[in-house]
Amino acid sequence: MADIPLLLDSRTDMARLNENYLKLKAGYLFPEIGRRVSAFCQANPQANVIRLGIGDVTEPLPPAVTEAMHKAVDEMANRSTFHGYGPEQGYDFLRNAIAQHDYVARGAQVAADEIFVSDGSKCDTGNILDVFDLQNTVAVQDPVYPVYVDTNVMAGRTGAADAQGRYAGLTYLPCTAENDFTPALPEQRVDMIYLCYPNNPTGAVASRETLQTWVNYAREQGSLILFDAAYEAFIQDASIPRSIYELDGAREVAIEFRSFSKNAGFTGTRCAFTVVPKDLMVTTASGEKKALHPVWNRRHCTKFNGVSYIVQRGAEAVYSEAGQAQTAELIRFYMENAKLLRAGLTAAGIEVFGGENAPYIWLKTPGGATSWDFFDRLLNDAHLVGTPGSGFGASGEGYFRLSAFNSRVNVEAAVDRIQKMLS
Ligand code: MLT
């Protein structure tokens, strides 16, 4: 028996690892924060830690949603109304509601069969890479939602990371206070560009003109835009587009990711969707033009069996009259938190950005501290958890993100603690 491990150790004909995973930096940002916070809580069990780190909602699902889900559960309990496998792309009742309310009503042309219902935008932004060639060049905003970068690293589209965590082969588009968190167009042509608006983590929004510039760039260059609009419901300024498809020509060059997580509290319930317009063309190595829609449909149906009927009925209820009123109330609640955070931090002498059309406050760390030093200080001295800006990319160094997703009482306590810590 004792010989067996030795035998295994000496074998070379084992299953091989995808070594791209070894290029990834230590851990995905939020688990890394989780580890540090757990260590702190173990050492300080009496501390009342307030978490404004990961953008996870705190308020319960709207009553219209839970009522629809209860009803759907009852249907599942009855032979005549039971549902087995549904359409992989989503039930028509939900796809039609999305197309009508999120697009057609806003003057954007998106048809129900261009919508692919899924279990999350995080998964979708990673999964979409299956249908793109490894040679495609990629640009990301910096700071950036880490999933876009890490999934490209896993796929093998990058080299190693440098000391600042920038991966060779990716084009980083810096977004800092100096450029008003609005990146310049890439200096060299790229095939794929991730844009996230309202932005995670900076809370910045893109005007119609800015987005039109990107769409025009993509059309001229033959590039494709991966547009993450997970936070569109938080836009307060009516002049800001909520969808990339509100811009001329976007149907030819953009995929859009949307989610019920943040607007309707579905982070634990899981429902989102991706729009792949039928006009969107890509090319083969030999230069043949192909529509992406059937390719993504093929991938989606092969690897995914659809979101549960119960959850899709809940998502559909978001678009009912009651659901619209209740989700608007949730947004108002979180945006009031954002306002309190902005005002309280500003009064404490901190320079703040975002939080006006997004649930994230992006702040300059006081005294020029590094992002992680400020994280540790906030945790140790104020028992508050936020997200270090450098965790989102090199250009996030010296910045810090606070989420407005929390109870009012916790947000007020957080402001109070930060003010005391800095006084
Ligand atoms: C965040 O905190 O950046 C988000 O919660 C992450 C996500 O939505 O996956």
Side-chain angles (χ1 to χ4, degrees), residues 28 30 53-56 122 145-147 200 231 261-262 267 360 387 392 401:
Y28 177 55
F30 295 106
I54 190 162
D56 193 5
K122 175 175 170 175
Y145 179 45
V147 173
N200 179 12
Y231 299 95
S261 282
K262 314 291 162 119
T267 54
Y360 295 125
T387 311
F392 295 102
R401 194 192 78 175

Short mmCIF file of all heavy atoms in Angstrom, two decimals, residues 28 30 53-56 122 145-147 200 231 261-262 267 360 387 392 401, ligand 1:
data_model
loop_
_atom_site.label_atom_id
_atom_site.label_comp_id
_atom_site.label_asym_id
_atom_site.label_seq_id
_atom_site.Cartn_x
_atom_site.Cartn_y
_atom_site.Cartn_z
N TYR A 28 -9.61 35.34 -6.59
CA TYR A 28 -10.59 36.29 -7.09
C TYR A 28 -10.80 37.30 -5.97
O TYR A 28 -10.81 36.98 -4.79
CB TYR A 28 -11.87 35.52 -7.45
CG TYR A 28 -13.01 36.38 -7.90
CD1 TYR A 28 -12.86 37.27 -8.96
CD2 TYR A 28 -14.24 36.34 -7.26
CE1 TYR A 28 -13.90 38.07 -9.38
CE2 TYR A 28 -15.29 37.14 -7.67
CZ TYR A 28 -15.11 38.01 -8.73
OH TYR A 28 -16.14 38.82 -9.13
N PHE A 30 -13.11 39.05 -4.41
CA PHE A 30 -14.06 39.01 -3.30
C PHE A 30 -13.79 37.86 -2.33
O PHE A 30 -13.86 38.07 -1.12
CB PHE A 30 -15.50 39.05 -3.82
CG PHE A 30 -15.78 40.38 -4.49
CD1 PHE A 30 -15.87 40.47 -5.87
CD2 PHE A 30 -15.85 41.54 -3.74
CE1 PHE A 30 -16.07 41.70 -6.49
CE2 PHE A 30 -16.05 42.77 -4.36
CZ PHE A 30 -16.16 42.85 -5.74
N GLY A 53 -18.55 45.91 1.06
CA GLY A 53 -17.58 45.43 0.08
C GLY A 53 -18.29 44.95 -1.17
O GLY A 53 -18.65 45.74 -2.04
N ILE A 54 -18.53 43.65 -1.26
CA ILE A 54 -19.17 43.10 -2.45
C ILE A 54 -20.55 43.74 -2.63
O ILE A 54 -21.25 44.01 -1.66
CB ILE A 54 -19.28 41.56 -2.37
CG1 ILE A 54 -19.71 40.98 -3.71
CG2 ILE A 54 -20.21 41.11 -1.25
CD1 ILE A 54 -19.43 39.50 -3.87
N GLY A 55 -20.90 43.99 -3.89
CA GLY A 55 -22.19 44.64 -4.17
C GLY A 55 -23.32 43.66 -4.09
O GLY A 55 -23.95 43.33 -5.10
N ASP A 56 -23.59 43.18 -2.87
CA ASP A 56 -24.69 42.22 -2.71
C ASP A 56 -25.87 42.93 -2.04
O ASP A 56 -25.69 43.62 -1.03
CB ASP A 56 -24.24 41.03 -1.85
CG ASP A 56 -25.23 39.88 -1.91
OD1 ASP A 56 -26.21 39.98 -2.69
OD2 ASP A 56 -25.02 38.90 -1.19
N LYS A 122 -22.40 37.46 -14.55
CA LYS A 122 -21.02 37.04 -14.32
C LYS A 122 -20.73 35.81 -15.18
O LYS A 122 -19.71 35.77 -15.90
CB LYS A 122 -20.82 36.73 -12.84
CG LYS A 122 -19.48 36.16 -12.45
CD LYS A 122 -19.45 36.06 -10.94
CE LYS A 122 -18.28 35.28 -10.43
NZ LYS A 122 -18.24 35.31 -8.95
N TYR A 145 -14.17 45.28 -13.62
CA TYR A 145 -14.77 44.12 -12.96
C TYR A 145 -13.86 42.91 -13.26
O TYR A 145 -13.66 42.59 -14.44
CB TYR A 145 -16.19 43.94 -13.54
CG TYR A 145 -16.98 42.77 -13.02
CD1 TYR A 145 -17.05 42.47 -11.66
CD2 TYR A 145 -17.70 41.97 -13.90
CE1 TYR A 145 -17.80 41.42 -11.21
CE2 TYR A 145 -18.47 40.91 -13.45
CZ TYR A 145 -18.51 40.63 -12.10
OH TYR A 145 -19.26 39.58 -11.65
N PRO A 146 -13.28 42.28 -12.25
CA PRO A 146 -12.18 41.32 -12.50
C PRO A 146 -12.56 40.12 -13.36
O PRO A 146 -11.69 39.50 -13.95
CB PRO A 146 -11.80 40.84 -11.08
CG PRO A 146 -12.43 41.79 -10.12
CD PRO A 146 -13.56 42.48 -10.81
N VAL A 147 -13.84 39.82 -13.44
CA VAL A 147 -14.26 38.62 -14.18
C VAL A 147 -13.89 38.72 -15.67
O VAL A 147 -13.50 37.72 -16.29
CB VAL A 147 -15.78 38.42 -14.01
CG1 VAL A 147 -16.31 37.30 -14.89
CG2 VAL A 147 -16.10 38.12 -12.54
N ASN A 200 -18.90 49.58 -12.88
CA ASN A 200 -18.39 48.90 -11.71
C ASN A 200 -16.89 48.79 -11.93
O ASN A 200 -16.49 48.19 -12.92
CB ASN A 200 -19.01 47.50 -11.60
CG ASN A 200 -18.50 46.74 -10.41
OD1 ASN A 200 -17.86 47.31 -9.53
ND2 ASN A 200 -18.78 45.44 -10.37
N TYR A 231 -26.09 47.53 -14.08
CA TYR A 231 -26.51 48.57 -13.11
C TYR A 231 -27.37 49.65 -13.75
O TYR A 231 -27.53 50.73 -13.17
CB TYR A 231 -25.26 49.19 -12.46
CG TYR A 231 -24.45 48.15 -11.69
CD1 TYR A 231 -23.38 47.50 -12.29
CD2 TYR A 231 -24.79 47.80 -10.39
CE1 TYR A 231 -22.65 46.52 -11.60
CE2 TYR A 231 -24.08 46.83 -9.70
CZ TYR A 231 -23.01 46.20 -10.31
OH TYR A 231 -22.32 45.24 -9.61
N SER A 261 -30.23 40.93 -10.74
CA SER A 261 -29.60 40.85 -9.42
C SER A 261 -29.72 42.14 -8.64
O SER A 261 -30.07 42.15 -7.47
CB SER A 261 -28.11 40.53 -9.57
OG SER A 261 -27.93 39.16 -9.83
N LYS A 262 -29.36 43.25 -9.30
CA LYS A 262 -29.21 44.49 -8.53
C LYS A 262 -30.50 45.31 -8.53
O LYS A 262 -30.80 45.98 -7.56
CB LYS A 262 -28.04 45.31 -9.07
CG LYS A 262 -26.77 44.51 -9.34
CD LYS A 262 -26.09 44.00 -8.07
CE LYS A 262 -25.11 42.87 -8.38
NZ LYS A 262 -23.75 43.10 -8.06
N THR A 267 -29.69 38.52 -6.44
CA THR A 267 -28.31 37.99 -6.35
C THR A 267 -28.30 36.53 -5.90
O THR A 267 -27.47 35.75 -6.36
CB THR A 267 -27.41 38.84 -5.42
OG1 THR A 267 -28.06 38.96 -4.16
CG2 THR A 267 -27.13 40.22 -5.99
N TYR A 360 -22.38 52.43 -6.48
CA TYR A 360 -21.02 52.39 -5.95
C TYR A 360 -20.43 53.78 -5.77
O TYR A 360 -20.58 54.65 -6.64
CB TYR A 360 -20.10 51.58 -6.89
CG TYR A 360 -20.49 50.13 -6.97
CD1 TYR A 360 -20.77 49.53 -8.18
CD2 TYR A 360 -20.61 49.37 -5.81
CE1 TYR A 360 -21.14 48.19 -8.25
CE2 TYR A 360 -20.98 48.03 -5.86
CZ TYR A 360 -21.25 47.44 -7.09
OH TYR A 360 -21.63 46.13 -7.15
N THR A 387 -13.94 47.70 -0.67
CA THR A 387 -13.17 46.97 -1.69
C THR A 387 -12.00 47.83 -2.17
O THR A 387 -12.22 48.96 -2.62
CB THR A 387 -14.07 46.59 -2.89
OG1 THR A 387 -15.26 45.99 -2.39
CG2 THR A 387 -13.37 45.61 -3.80
N PHE A 392 -9.22 46.02 -8.51
CA PHE A 392 -9.92 46.10 -9.80
C PHE A 392 -8.96 46.44 -10.95
O PHE A 392 -9.40 46.60 -12.09
CB PHE A 392 -11.00 47.17 -9.76
CG PHE A 392 -12.14 46.89 -8.81
CD1 PHE A 392 -12.19 47.53 -7.58
CD2 PHE A 392 -13.15 46.01 -9.14
CE1 PHE A 392 -13.25 47.29 -6.69
CE2 PHE A 392 -14.20 45.76 -8.28
CZ PHE A 392 -14.25 46.40 -7.04
N ARG A 401 -13.59 51.35 -3.07
CA ARG A 401 -15.02 51.32 -3.42
C ARG A 401 -15.88 50.98 -2.21
O ARG A 401 -15.55 50.06 -1.45
CB ARG A 401 -15.25 50.26 -4.51
CG ARG A 401 -16.62 50.38 -5.18
CD ARG A 401 -16.96 49.18 -6.03
NE ARG A 401 -17.40 48.06 -5.23
CZ ARG A 401 -17.84 46.91 -5.72
NH1 ARG A 401 -17.87 46.71 -7.03
NH2 ARG A 401 -18.23 45.93 -4.92
C1 MLT B 1 -19.31 43.52 -7.15
O1 MLT B 1 -19.29 43.72 -5.94
O2 MLT B 1 -18.48 44.00 -7.93
C2 MLT B 1 -20.39 42.66 -7.67
O3 MLT B 1 -21.25 42.26 -6.65
C3 MLT B 1 -19.86 41.46 -8.27
C4 MLT B 1 -20.88 40.76 -9.07
O4 MLT B 1 -21.98 41.27 -9.31
O5 MLT B 1 -20.57 39.65 -9.45
#
